[in-house]
Amino acid sequence: MRKFLTISILSAFLIAASVAIAAVPNFTMYGFSNVVASIIIQPDQNAVLTLGNASINIPEGAFGNVPVKFELLTATPTSWQKYVPSNQKVLYAFAFKVTDLTTGALIGKFSKPVIFYFSSSEITSQAQYLDTTPSFEVSKNPIPPKIDLIGQIGTLSHPIAGAPVGWLVTVPE
């Protein structure tokens, strides 16, 4: 009886752990198949990942006390165009995949937010920052982006506290 109880408790724990891990989507399977940049980050390390018009500032301790593999995933903007309102144009489509290198689990919530920046001559005060889900639903992020307009270039920035969704940067067409 005791052995059965131990096995039952262990099984319940493993099921709960696998559900928790499964709750963090791997966006390479949900519209963001291109891994365009990857970096190994130690817990005591700051990092800046820049690729083209996009940049991500990652503060020290953003993922707790574990080393991670941080991947920037993208999709072609046209592949997401059909999911946004017809009066919006997708400029950038991206997601993150953050893997705990000690356990192999995906990390969905960050200890400190990373900051995303996107600069373009097409960014105006009307630019939007949208969330995407694994079921390809799109909605406005509840926190409006910060938009800085300097000369001909606009920069949209937004803090990101986790990776349970993907994101789109759009502008009016």
Side-chain angles (χ1 to χ4, degrees):
M1 179 70 173
R2 186 175 214 187
K3 185 175 180 182
F4 174 76
L5 183 59
T6 301
I7 291 172
S8 296
I9 291 171
L10 182 58
S11 295
F13 174 78
L14 291 174
I15 289 169
S18 68
V19 168
I21 290 169
V24 179
N26 177 348
F27 277 96
T28 59
M29 300 184 326
Y30 300 109
F32 300 95
S33 58
N34 304 317
V35 178
V36 295
S38 179
I39 186 171
I40 303 297
I41 302 171
Q42 299 301 322
D44 61 349
Q45 180 183 9
N46 294 320
V48 176
L49 190 60
T50 301
L51 185 68
N53 294 359
S55 182
I56 299 106
N57 288 0
I58 304 163
E60 175 183 326
F63 312 108
N65 294 321
V66 297
V68 300
K69 181 178 183 181
F70 183 93
E71 295 173 286
L72 173 60
L73 315 173
T74 64
T76 59
T78 54
S79 67
W80 280 92
Q81 190 61 50
K82 63 186 169 191
Y83 299 105
V84 300
S86 61
N87 65 343
Q88 291 292 304
K89 173 185 168 186
V90 179
L91 293 182
Y92 197 68
F94 73 104
F96 299 149
K97 182 177 177 186
V98 183
T99 306
D100 180 329
L101 293 178
T102 59
T103 66
L106 294 179
I107 296 175
K109 184 169 175 38
F110 305 159
S111 299
K112 296 179 184 174
V114 303
I115 307 296
F116 167 76
Y117 297 91
F118 183 80
S119 298
S120 168
S121 61
E122 294 185 74
I123 294 291
T124 68
S125 61
Q126 301 301 309
Q128 294 185 9
Y129 183 78
L130 308 175
D131 295 343
T132 71
T133 69
S135 58
F136 297 90
E137 296 170 2
V138 174
S139 61
K140 267 190 178 179
N141 187 284
I143 300 170
K146 179 181 176 194
I147 298 173
D148 292 315
L149 303 172
I150 300 174
Q152 299 292 321
I153 303 295
T155 299
L156 176 146
S157 62
H158 199 275
I160 300 174
V165 297
W167 303 278
L168 306 174
V169 175
T170 67
V171 292
E173 272 195 299

